[in-house]
Amino acid sequence: MPSEVRRRYGFNDGSLFISEEREDGVLIRPATAIPTALEEVRLKIQQGLDELDQGKGIPGEEVEEELKAMSKAFRSRKLK
């Protein structure tokens, strides 16, 4: 894909996109990832904020590992 087209539509390395096979070729368009369980994410954030308010904390390494695991799990889901 020419760089001018990539810039116009906001495609960068690692950009998400939707491809749709058509009779005359393939349609490629930008996509945005949205968590499917948004309420679950909000609850998790609230729990974390509550723990911070109570003076509790989690070592940075644990947070990083948990975020990586959550990201991997999210990316492995198939959107319906």
Side-chain angles (χ1 to χ4, degrees), residues 2-63:
S3 61
E4 181 180 314
V5 173
R6 289 193 312 268
R7 279 193 298 275
R8 184 179 318 136
Y9 293 99
F11 288 111
N12 298 307
D13 285 345
S15 289
L16 296 176
F17 62 91
I18 297 169
S19 62
E20 181 181 324
E21 188 174 354
R22 296 189 169 190
E23 194 172 300
D24 61 340
V26 177
L27 171 66
I28 299 173
R29 47 194 169 111
T32 303
I34 299 173
T36 56
L38 194 53
E39 202 52 46
E40 180 183 332
V41 172
R42 285 187 179 130
L43 179 62
K44 195 86 161 153
I45 291 170
Q46 187 60 54
Q47 288 172 343
L49 291 173
D50 290 344
E51 288 179 9
L52 287 174
D53 286 344
Q54 296 167 9
K56 298 177 183 175
I58 304 171
E61 298 82 23
E62 287 182 36
V63 171

Side-chain angles (χ1 to χ4, degrees), residues 57-70:
I58 304 171
E61 298 82 23
E62 287 182 36
V63 171
E64 183 177 359
E65 288 304 313
E66 186 172 345
L67 287 172
K68 285 180 181 177
M70 290 172 67

